[in-house]
Amino acid sequence: MEDCIFCKIAKKEIKSKIVYSDEEIVAFEDVNPQAPIHILIIPRKHIPKILDIDETDKNILFRLIAIANKLANDNKIAESGFRLVLNCNSDAGQTVFHIHLHLLGGRKFSWPAG
């Protein structure tokens, strides 16, 4: 999608602090972090929201979580704990309509969330 900020980050058209990149997935630091570690993990393929995933995309969620696990270990938050968040639509807090997994850690979290 031409005007998607996350697509532009994935294509390196917009500067971002990328912490992981491969042929399918890109991960970068959130510009408005809600925790000491706040990384967004996105597929390169533009999928607006989780409701738009179909059978051809079934590996995407697994890959997002696998990369989140790697980054949690790399950032030394795996043992103490971390949170993964995947918002869908405006009422849930989705502001960029390109699916993305938030990896948050480095502080204690409470429940219920937000």
Side-chain angles (χ1 to χ4, degrees):
M1 169 125 336
E2 289 180 24
D3 60 338
C4 173
I5 190 168
F6 287 178
C7 287
K8 290 179 180 181
I9 289 171
K11 293 176 190 173
K12 296 185 178 178
E13 294 172 0
I14 293 177
K15 187 175 165 101
S16 185
K17 185 159 183 199
I18 295 176
V19 296
Y20 179 87
S21 180
D22 67 24
E23 64 283 346
E24 296 178 317
I25 306 293
V26 177
F28 51 94
E29 291 184 1
D30 195 301
V31 296
N32 184 25
Q34 302 300 305
I37 304 294
H38 188 168
I39 297 170
L40 301 177
I41 307 162
I42 66 167
R44 288 184 183 273
K45 178 181 178 181
H46 181 83
I47 303 169
K49 55 192 178 296
I50 202 73
L51 292 167
D52 298 319
I53 287 182
D54 63 28
E55 189 68 24
T56 63
D57 303 317
K58 62 184 175 185
N59 260 355
I60 287 177
L61 288 179
F62 172 80
R63 291 289 326 280
L64 294 176
I65 292 169
I67 299 308
N69 287 342
K70 176 196 178 332
L71 293 170
N73 280 301
D74 291 352
N75 284 278
K76 311 281 191 266
I77 59 172
E79 292 302 315
S80 60
F82 58 94
R83 181 170 285 173
L84 298 177
V85 177
L86 183 62
N87 298 316
C88 183
N89 280 326
S90 299
D91 280 358
Q94 185 176 6
T95 57
V96 176
F97 285 83
H98 181 125
I99 65 168
H100 53 286
L101 185 65
H102 295 258
L103 168 64
L104 300 124
R107 70 171 173 86
K108 190 161 180 77
F109 294 97
S110 61
W111 196 259

